[in-house]
mmCIF file of all heavy atoms in Angstrom:
data_model
loop_
_atom_site.group_PDB
_atom_site.id
_atom_site.type_symbol
_atom_site.label_atom_id
_atom_site.label_comp_id
_atom_site.label_asym_id
_atom_site.label_seq_id
_atom_site.Cartn_x
_atom_site.Cartn_y
_atom_site.Cartn_z
ATOM 1 N N THR A 132 -174.859 -46.145 -96.189
ATOM 2 C CA THR A 132 -175.800 -46.508 -97.254
ATOM 3 C C THR A 132 -176.395 -47.894 -97.024
ATOM 4 O O THR A 132 -177.597 -48.115 -97.210
ATOM 5 C CB THR A 132 -175.090 -46.464 -98.620
ATOM 6 O OG1 THR A 132 -174.527 -45.160 -98.824
ATOM 7 C CG2 THR A 132 -176.055 -46.770 -99.748
ATOM 8 N N ILE A 133 -175.562 -48.822 -96.579
ATOM 9 C CA ILE A 133 -176.036 -50.196 -96.348
ATOM 10 C C ILE A 133 -177.009 -50.239 -95.172
ATOM 11 O O ILE A 133 -178.066 -50.869 -95.250
ATOM 12 C CB ILE A 133 -174.850 -51.144 -96.107
ATOM 13 C CG1 ILE A 133 -174.004 -51.251 -97.374
ATOM 14 C CG2 ILE A 133 -175.344 -52.534 -95.686
ATOM 15 C CD1 ILE A 133 -172.716 -52.049 -97.190
ATOM 16 N N TRP A 134 -176.652 -49.557 -94.058
ATOM 17 C CA TRP A 134 -177.564 -49.632 -92.909
ATOM 18 C C TRP A 134 -178.874 -48.889 -93.196
ATOM 19 O O TRP A 134 -179.927 -49.268 -92.675
ATOM 20 C CB TRP A 134 -176.899 -49.185 -91.620
ATOM 21 C CG TRP A 134 -177.054 -47.753 -91.185
ATOM 22 C CD1 TRP A 134 -178.208 -47.036 -91.056
ATOM 23 C CD2 TRP A 134 -176.006 -46.862 -90.772
ATOM 24 N NE1 TRP A 134 -177.942 -45.760 -90.600
ATOM 25 C CE2 TRP A 134 -176.619 -45.629 -90.413
ATOM 26 C CE3 TRP A 134 -174.625 -46.992 -90.635
ATOM 27 C CZ2 TRP A 134 -175.872 -44.531 -89.965
ATOM 28 C CZ3 TRP A 134 -173.900 -45.892 -90.181
ATOM 29 C CH2 TRP A 134 -174.517 -44.685 -89.861
ATOM 30 N N GLY A 135 -178.834 -47.845 -94.041
ATOM 31 C CA GLY A 135 -180.072 -47.182 -94.430
ATOM 32 C C GLY A 135 -180.975 -48.120 -95.201
ATOM 33 O O GLY A 135 -182.205 -48.133 -94.998
ATOM 34 N N SER A 136 -180.379 -48.947 -96.078
ATOM 35 C CA SER A 136 -181.156 -49.925 -96.845
ATOM 36 C C SER A 136 -181.772 -50.971 -95.920
ATOM 37 O O SER A 136 -182.938 -51.363 -96.088
ATOM 38 C CB SER A 136 -180.261 -50.607 -97.880
ATOM 39 O OG SER A 136 -179.678 -49.653 -98.757
ATOM 40 N N ILE A 137 -180.983 -51.414 -94.936
ATOM 41 C CA ILE A 137 -181.483 -52.424 -93.998
ATOM 42 C C ILE A 137 -182.609 -51.852 -93.147
ATOM 43 O O ILE A 137 -183.628 -52.510 -92.892
ATOM 44 C CB ILE A 137 -180.332 -52.932 -93.110
ATOM 45 C CG1 ILE A 137 -179.287 -53.651 -93.962
ATOM 46 C CG2 ILE A 137 -180.854 -53.870 -92.025
ATOM 47 C CD1 ILE A 137 -177.996 -53.958 -93.231
ATOM 48 N N SER A 138 -182.429 -50.587 -92.706
ATOM 49 C CA SER A 138 -183.465 -49.947 -91.898
ATOM 50 C C SER A 138 -184.764 -49.823 -92.688
ATOM 51 O O SER A 138 -185.857 -50.084 -92.158
ATOM 52 C CB SER A 138 -182.988 -48.563 -91.446
ATOM 53 O OG SER A 138 -183.952 -47.939 -90.632
ATOM 54 N N ALA A 139 -184.653 -49.428 -93.959
ATOM 55 C CA ALA A 139 -185.853 -49.329 -94.800
ATOM 56 C C ALA A 139 -186.505 -50.692 -94.986
ATOM 57 O O ALA A 139 -187.743 -50.802 -95.041
ATOM 58 C CB ALA A 139 -185.488 -48.733 -96.155
ATOM 59 N N ALA A 140 -185.682 -51.737 -95.067
ATOM 60 C CA ALA A 140 -186.210 -53.089 -95.256
ATOM 61 C C ALA A 140 -186.992 -53.572 -94.042
ATOM 62 O O ALA A 140 -187.792 -54.517 -94.145
ATOM 63 C CB ALA A 140 -185.067 -54.058 -95.553
ATOM 64 N N THR A 141 -186.798 -52.932 -92.873
ATOM 65 C CA THR A 141 -187.560 -53.296 -91.675
ATOM 66 C C THR A 141 -189.056 -53.131 -91.919
ATOM 67 O O THR A 141 -189.880 -53.825 -91.302
ATOM 68 C CB THR A 141 -187.123 -52.436 -90.479
ATOM 69 O OG1 THR A 141 -185.700 -52.492 -90.342
ATOM 70 C CG2 THR A 141 -187.751 -52.924 -89.190
ATOM 71 N N ALA A 142 -189.411 -52.212 -92.825
ATOM 72 C CA ALA A 142 -190.830 -51.983 -93.129
ATOM 73 C C ALA A 142 -191.489 -53.204 -93.746
ATOM 74 O O ALA A 142 -192.723 -53.313 -93.742
ATOM 75 C CB ALA A 142 -190.975 -50.786 -94.068
ATOM 76 N N ALA A 143 -190.675 -54.123 -94.277
ATOM 77 C CA ALA A 143 -191.231 -55.286 -94.979
ATOM 78 C C ALA A 143 -191.397 -56.507 -94.077
ATOM 79 O O ALA A 143 -191.920 -57.532 -94.524
ATOM 80 C CB ALA A 143 -190.346 -55.651 -96.167
ATOM 81 N N VAL A 144 -190.965 -56.425 -92.805
ATOM 82 C CA VAL A 144 -191.050 -57.604 -91.944
ATOM 83 C C VAL A 144 -192.501 -57.851 -91.538
ATOM 84 O O VAL A 144 -193.276 -56.916 -91.342
ATOM 85 C CB VAL A 144 -190.166 -57.462 -90.686
ATOM 86 C CG1 VAL A 144 -188.709 -57.234 -91.087
ATOM 87 C CG2 VAL A 144 -190.652 -56.349 -89.780
ATOM 88 N N HIS A 145 -192.854 -59.128 -91.429
ATOM 89 C CA HIS A 145 -194.218 -59.498 -91.030
ATOM 90 C C HIS A 145 -194.231 -60.501 -89.886
ATOM 91 O O HIS A 145 -195.281 -61.076 -89.576
ATOM 92 C CB HIS A 145 -194.976 -60.080 -92.230
ATOM 93 C CG HIS A 145 -195.373 -59.048 -93.236
ATOM 94 N ND1 HIS A 145 -194.521 -58.630 -94.233
ATOM 95 C CD2 HIS A 145 -196.524 -58.330 -93.381
ATOM 96 C CE1 HIS A 145 -195.131 -57.713 -94.968
ATOM 97 N NE2 HIS A 145 -196.346 -57.505 -94.471
#
Side-chain angles (χ1 to χ4, degrees):
T132 303
I133 294 174
W134 94 51
S136 302
I137 296 169
S138 182
T141 308
V144 302
H145 287 85

